Amino acid sequence: MGGDSRVIDGKAFAARLRERVADAVPAFVERARRKPGLAVVLVGEDPASQVYVRSKGKATVAAGMESFQHVLPAETRQEELIALVEKLNADEAVDGILVQLPLPDHLDDKAVVGRIDPAKDVDGLTAENIARLANNDDALVPCTPQGCMMLLEDRLGDLTGLDALVIGRSQLVGRPMAQLLVNANCTVTIAHSRTRDLPALARRADILVAAVGRAEMVKGDWIKAGATVIDVGINRLDPAPGEERGRLVGDVAFAEAEHAAAITPVPGGVGPMTIAVLLRNTLVAAHRRAGVADPQGL
Ligand code: NDP
């Protein structure tokens, strides 16, 4: 992969974004007399989620921000979780609230997320932020699609007039991604599990975003020559003989995409952007809550 100019190095881009965020924190502290704060709420003891929450906490502290972590038992009741969200809404030291999804089955993701103060909704999942994005107003936008957009604009500059296909229509990735691309003047198609003749649609796309969760579903001959491919999928293959864990692959058959002009690898493409954008969104939320103009260059 090294030296291949097609490869979009999300890891390096994310590291630079995290540096820019960290560089902008002291000016905020100077004005607001406090650090920006991010609260992450996890319900249940899923080890992978715990690792993820801990790494978010570490990244938050490394950026010079305050990290608040709330790990609640799996049997937490809906009212208890909502009470915590309300407490965080009222806490002046908290600028961003992220509830790790999906919640255990007995809890209602939408009802809980709906209680987050939209000004602190750094995951961009409340109705107010969805509406603001749809209206092309200043919204807090879900971190992963926002990160994809940054990589696209970094690589392509102005996206006006380009044909974009987004495969996937989740609230977290596909839908906001499509909205961001429309706002950037692309002509956007959204595909999903009921789409007919997906390969033909894909072959027309100058920008192809795959956010499905099916290992290497997008084949080389689905990709138009010169297209820019953003692979959001994270899929673990079954271990090959002698391997302890299977390899991580995306939704795109990376090795078959040699005629793409640019492509994000998995791992090391979109993945690292998510935490970097979470920190960025927290800093932006802190500025807006403090009535300070948005930080520049983020
Ligand atoms: P969801 O499962 O919520 O959504 C998947 C979407 O893919 C759905 O809209 C579904 O369609 C569509 N889909 C399923 N099968 C097909 C098919 N055969 N053809 C076309 N479309 C299909 O997943 P997410 O959006 O949350 O995540 C997508 C992927 O991105 C996952 O691999 C996830 O791990 C990864 N991810 C990576 C992140 C990162 O940081 N890099 C962050 C978030 C997610 P339908 O609506 O009809 O069911």
Side-chain angles (χ1 to χ4, degrees):
M1 211 190 302
D4 183 344
S5 64
R6 292 175 313 132
V7 174
I8 298 176
D9 188 346
K11 196 172 167 195
F13 190 99
R16 291 194 298 273
L17 177 58
R18 282 164 65 157
E19 260 169 43
R20 292 200 299 278
V21 170
D23 288 348
V25 167
F28 176 83
V29 174
E30 175 98 352
R31 295 187 72 150
R33 300 271 152 224
R34 64 175 183 84
K35 292 181 179 180
L38 173 64
V40 178
V41 179
L42 172 66
V43 182
E45 284 91 31
D46 175 48
S49 298
Q50 288 197 348
V51 169
Y52 200 44
V53 167
R54 267 202 300 276
S55 70
K56 281 176 179 164
K58 267 196 206 151
T60 307
V61 172
M65 304 193 206
E66 206 78 64
S67 163
F68 308 96
Q69 300 199 7
H70 297 267
V71 180
L72 306 181
E75 58 279 7
T76 299
R77 285 178 298 118
Q78 175 111 341
E79 310 82 78
E80 293 172 310
L81 182 54
I82 287 178
L84 173 60
V85 168
E86 297 290 5
K87 192 167 141 237
L88 297 172
N89 283 343
D91 186 341
E92 270 314 305
V94 173
D95 297 290
I97 302 171
L98 184 143
V99 176
Q100 192 74 38
L101 300 177
L103 292 167
D105 286 346
H106 67 285
L107 298 171
D108 180 346
D109 290 12
K110 267 196 181 157
V112 172
V113 166
R115 299 297 279 270
I116 296 173
D117 176 354
K120 300 188 177 189
D121 170 28
V122 283
D123 230 0
L125 293 175
T126 58
E128 172 152 341
N129 279 310
I130 294 170
R132 292 181 76 83
L133 177 61
N135 286 326
N136 203 4
D137 287 339
D138 280 339
L140 288 167
V141 177
C143 300
T144 302
Q146 178 80 65
C148 295
M149 204 59 194
M150 288 177 175
L151 295 178
L152 279 169
E153 288 183 329
D154 182 60
R155 183 56 78 119
L156 296 174
D158 187 3
L159 308 185
T160 296
L162 296 178
D163 279 324
L165 174 70
V166 179
I167 314 177
R169 56 174 166 181
S170 69
Q171 295 291 354
L172 198 61
V173 189
R175 283 170 203 257
M177 186 73 232
Q179 198 67 65
L180 285 164
L181 289 163
V182 172
N183 291 351
N185 301 318
C186 292
T187 305
V188 182
T189 305
I190 305 175
H192 44 75
S193 65
R194 309 297 179 88
T195 295
R196 282 183 291 174
D197 203 359
L198 185 52
L201 284 176
R203 284 184 201 112
R204 292 176 35 193
D206 304 307
I207 294 173
L208 196 164
V209 181
V212 179
R214 292 170 74 100
E216 302 184 323
M217 180 185 90
V218 176
K219 306 298 176 203
D221 67 355
W222 297 23
I223 299 170
K224 178 173 164 176
T228 299
V229 180
I230 301 290
D231 190 352
V232 184
I234 302 176
N235 312 288
R236 193 171 287 283
L237 297 179
D238 292 334
E243 275 181 357
E244 199 177 311
R245 299 180 80 189
R247 255 182 337 118
L248 278 187
V249 297
D251 290 343
V252 179
F254 184 89
E256 297 175 14
E258 63 282 327
H259 54 294
I263 182 166
T264 57
V266 177
V270 173
M273 291 299 291
T274 301
I275 287 187
V277 175
L278 177 64
L279 301 176
R280 177 234 175 239
N281 281 359
T282 302
L283 187 63
V284 168
H287 279 69
R288 292 181 187 167
R289 291 185 60 250
V292 180
D294 280 4
Q296 294 303 299
L298 292 179

